[in-house]
Amino acid sequence: MKDALAIHRWLLAHQVHHEIVRLPRPITGVEELPATISAAPERCVMVTVFEVTGRLGREVVGVVSSVAAPPRPGAVGALLGARDVRPAPAFLVNSATDYAAGLVCPLLLPRRLPLLVDDRLAGDAEPIFMASGERHTAVGMRALDLLSLLSGKTVDLRIPRPRGSREAIALRH
């Protein structure tokens, strides 16, 4: 399993300014990160892994988004043209990402894992935080640096609202 030290060394090798943040209490999932470090959920990044069933069979897909706007399976399915999309079980997340389930960092993911990046992630110079694969640490860096390091495809994961009238029509008895 990958950890904060592996991420730290990789970022140093790529000369990316970052910070390994020691958490005041352990977390079991990245959803707990905003409350643990007093950061806005929009400034915390998560990776959600889905098991996707399409025309060619099953595959695993990772989605990078903010904790404030986690991806919905329906949006991922519509984007990929999949028949069935569901959150991947923990053992599949562990084997597909080489991180502990719930603490997946968007960095150092295997090349074989297709990665989608939510276009709502801010590409600014402000700091963002993400899991490090460990319960006691997180990684902080500029959002622009993270987006430049990700190898995934940037996509729109908003679910379009249906158009037309939403009037209720009474059925005849």
Side-chain angles (χ1 to χ4, degrees):
M1 291 285 174
K2 294 180 182 134
D3 59 3
L5 183 58
I7 295 167
H8 174 67
R9 287 179 176 158
W10 188 79
L11 289 170
L12 283 176
H14 286 82
Q15 299 180 353
V16 176
H17 181 72
H18 66 283
E19 176 184 13
I20 302 297
V21 180
R22 185 101 173 122
L23 302 177
R25 66 178 188 275
I27 60 172
T28 57
V30 71
E31 298 85 4
E32 300 170 31
L33 193 57
T36 304
I37 61 172
S38 299
E42 296 81 17
R43 303 308 303 178
C44 295
V45 175
M46 66 188 295
V47 176
T48 308
V49 180
F50 291 103
E51 189 174 16
V52 179
T53 305
R55 292 183 301 261
L56 302 175
R58 283 192 176 162
E59 70 175 320
V60 179
V61 175
V63 180
V64 179
S65 65
S66 74
V67 171
R72 296 181 182 211
V76 174
L79 184 69
L80 299 175
R83 286 185 272 160
D84 186 36
V85 177
R86 64 183 69 188
F91 76 89
L92 191 55
V93 173
N94 295 347
S95 64
T97 65
D98 204 22
Y99 284 105
L103 300 172
V104 179
C105 180
L107 301 172
L108 293 178
L109 291 170
R111 292 257 182 230
R112 70 181 181 280
L113 178 69
L115 192 63
L116 304 175
V117 180
D118 191 340
D119 68 352
R120 292 175 283 186
L121 286 176
D124 54 26
E126 296 299 313
I128 57 166
F129 302 93
M130 64 201 95
S132 66
E134 298 176 348
R135 298 178 62 210
H136 296 280
T137 59
V139 179
M141 63 190 316
R142 291 181 337 146
L144 191 57
D145 290 338
L146 174 65
L147 292 175
S148 68
L149 293 171
L150 294 177
S151 61
K153 179 180 178 183
T154 302
V155 295
D156 180 6
L157 290 174
R158 293 172 195 85
I159 296 178
R161 300 201 181 256
R163 295 182 182 187
S165 173
R166 296 191 129 224
E167 288 180 23
I169 300 173
L171 295 174
R172 290 188 172 189
H173 296 295

